[in-house]
Amino acid sequence: TFGELIKISGLSHGTDVWLGNAQELIKNNIVPFSEVIGCRDDIMVYLMYNGLEPIKAFKIMEFVRKGRASKPKDHEQWLEKAGIEKWFIDSCAKIKYMFPKAHAAAYVISAFRIAWFKVHMPVYYYASWFSSKATDFNIDAMIKGYQAIKDALIEISNKGSDATNKDAGVSESLHLALEA
């Protein structure tokens, strides 16, 4: 769902939100993906749905999103009094930074727009990419077609750690040309 994509965006942009936290909760069947904390707003909404006053839920969300939940606090008594589950409290304590849901939604909307153009108007997508994103080109390989592009990519790949930043830019352009 779109909401799940937003949660994935939040999980991938936060610090200690996915690795060693939500990932473990899901893997160990403690909670399903739909219930893990993905964005800072998830904390406040969850707490309010579980009976915490909105101002307390907001304060706890702010405390967690700034990475302070692992330090001693008075908030834990509010959580325990409201009957908040231990997995949720422990998850909050691990978080160092959280992404706002609106920011995650903006990223997902942008990705959808890009994907729509790539699928439905590929000429415009690739023209835009090559004219605004690409920094380095291997025009000779690109105009010779598929096999020449593959050969150029293999040549760059064979350089290994000797490849330059320019090689990396050329490689990116070649991959897009191959895809197109």
Side-chain angles (χ1 to χ4, degrees):
T1 66
F2 195 81
E4 290 169 329
L5 291 174
I6 291 171
K7 184 172 284 212
I8 291 168
S9 180
L11 288 167
S12 64
H13 287 91
T15 305
D16 294 339
V17 181
W18 173 247
L19 289 176
N21 197 347
Q23 182 183 39
E24 297 301 316
L25 292 170
I26 295 166
K27 187 169 37 172
N28 296 325
N29 292 318
I30 296 170
V31 291
F33 175 79
S34 62
E35 291 182 31
V36 297
I37 303 167
C39 298
R40 58 178 77 158
D41 310 57
D42 295 342
I43 295 171
M44 188 172 77
V45 170
Y46 179 87
L47 294 175
M48 289 189 320
Y49 280 151
N50 283 280
L52 231 63
E53 297 171 44
I55 190 65
K56 286 181 181 177
F58 175 78
K59 285 180 180 181
I60 291 170
M61 176 199 69
E62 286 293 295
F63 196 70
V64 172
R65 80 165 181 92
K66 295 175 182 176
R68 292 189 284 184
S70 61
K71 298 176 177 82
K73 61 217 166 277
D74 296 329
H75 298 126
E76 199 162 315
Q77 67 183 349
W78 293 344
L79 297 172
E80 289 170 358
K81 187 177 178 184
I84 303 302
E85 296 181 59
K86 179 132 175 61
W87 72 263
F88 189 89
I89 297 169
D90 292 344
S91 182
C92 286
K94 294 175 183 177
I95 293 167
K96 302 292 181 282
Y97 169 74
M98 293 208 77
F99 218 49
K101 188 171 270 186
H103 203 156
Y107 275 28
V108 173
I109 290 167
S110 179
F112 259 80
R113 287 180 179 144
I114 291 167
W116 187 90
F117 273 92
K118 192 171 189 179
V119 170
H120 298 286
M121 303 187 101
V123 171
Y124 293 113
Y125 169 81
Y126 289 106
S128 173
W129 193 89
F130 283 115
S131 64
S132 65
K133 291 279 195 186
T135 57
D136 300 299
F137 299 94
N138 179 339
I139 297 297
D140 291 334
M142 292 166 95
I143 62 174
K144 289 179 183 170
Y146 187 85
Q147 193 56 50
I149 294 170
K150 295 236 354 156
D151 292 342
L153 283 167
I154 290 168
E155 185 180 323
I156 293 170
S157 178
N158 288 340
K159 289 182 180 181
S161 62
D162 291 333
T164 64
N165 286 343
K166 181 173 174 61
D167 289 330
V170 169
S171 178
E172 188 177 17
S173 293
L174 289 172
H175 275 102
L176 259 287
L178 193 62
E179 179 184 287

